[in-house]
């Protein structure tokens, strides 16, 4: 939402947009649905001890340090965003549930070979209804 100036980021914000440049050896795992999230949780398991989390204590969550040892990024697809949050997935290994991912994006983990490319121009600020729907029709 920063790109369109919507939300808490005021116009003239010090945040600038850049094109991400990845190293050729980048390793990104893609989450396309609840079973992919569950597989990540099982493969790099840590037991959630937070009783206040929506998933509850005892569910499997990723140990992000271990994930970062193998992967540079974790990409949640748009389909996964629609189908995975708050869906409890069970197997003999245990249960998992994604509860805190709010957009289709890639989370870059420490050590990822991601570098900022050239700055991108400021976004078009003409977001009146007709301009927005015209873009959606294109």
């Amino acid at each position: 939402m920063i790109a369109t100036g919507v939300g808490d980021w005021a116009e003239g914000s010090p945040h600038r947009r850049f094109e991400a440049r990845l190293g050729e050896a980048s390793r990104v795992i893609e989450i396309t649905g609840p079973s992919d999230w569950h597989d990540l949780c099982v493969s790099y398991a840590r037991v959630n001890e937070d009783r206040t989390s929506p998933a509850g204590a005892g569910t499997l969550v990723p140990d992000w340090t271990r994930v970062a040892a193998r992967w540079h990024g974790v990409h949640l697809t748009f389909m996964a965003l629609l189908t995975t949050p708050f869906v409890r997935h069970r197997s003999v290994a245990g249960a998992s549930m994604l509860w805190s991912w709010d957009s289709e994006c890639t989370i870059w983990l420490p050590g990822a070979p991601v570098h900022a490319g050239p700055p991108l121009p400021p976004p078009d600020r003409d977001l009146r209804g007709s301009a927005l729907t015209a873009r959606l029709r294109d």
Side-chain angles (χ1 to χ4, degrees):
M1 299 310 287
I2 292 172
T4 59
V6 175
D8 296 336
W9 303 102
E11 188 153 341
S13 167
H15 294 58
R16 296 175 54 200
R17 300 179 324 140
F18 292 87
E19 179 180 299
R21 299 259 170 105
L22 304 175
E24 289 184 26
S26 296
R27 297 180 309 272
V28 178
I29 187 169
E30 190 169 68
I31 307 299
T32 62
S35 63
D36 288 343
W37 177 253
H38 185 72
D39 290 346
L40 181 72
C41 292
V42 169
S43 296
Y44 303 94
R46 183 175 69 80
V47 176
N48 179 29
E49 296 175 4
D50 182 359
R51 295 178 192 276
T52 64
S53 75
T59 54
L60 299 176
V61 295
D63 178 331
W64 290 109
T65 301
R66 291 179 51 219
V67 174
R70 170 66 177 95
W71 300 100
H72 293 122
V74 178
H75 179 75
L76 187 80
T77 66
F78 184 67
M79 182 56 79
L81 177 65
L82 297 176
T83 61
T84 306
F86 302 103
V87 173
R88 189 171 300 276
H89 194 89
R90 297 179 194 277
S91 72
V92 295
S96 65
M97 183 175 81
L98 176 70
W99 72 83
S100 62
W101 209 309
D102 62 0
S103 67
E104 183 251 341
C105 67
T106 302
I107 301 296
W108 297 106
L109 301 167
V114 179
H115 307 285
L120 296 172
D124 181 2
R125 297 289 181 194
D126 184 15
L127 293 178
R128 293 183 307 265
S130 62
L132 182 58
T133 56
R135 288 185 189 150
L136 294 174
R137 287 191 303 264
D138 291 343

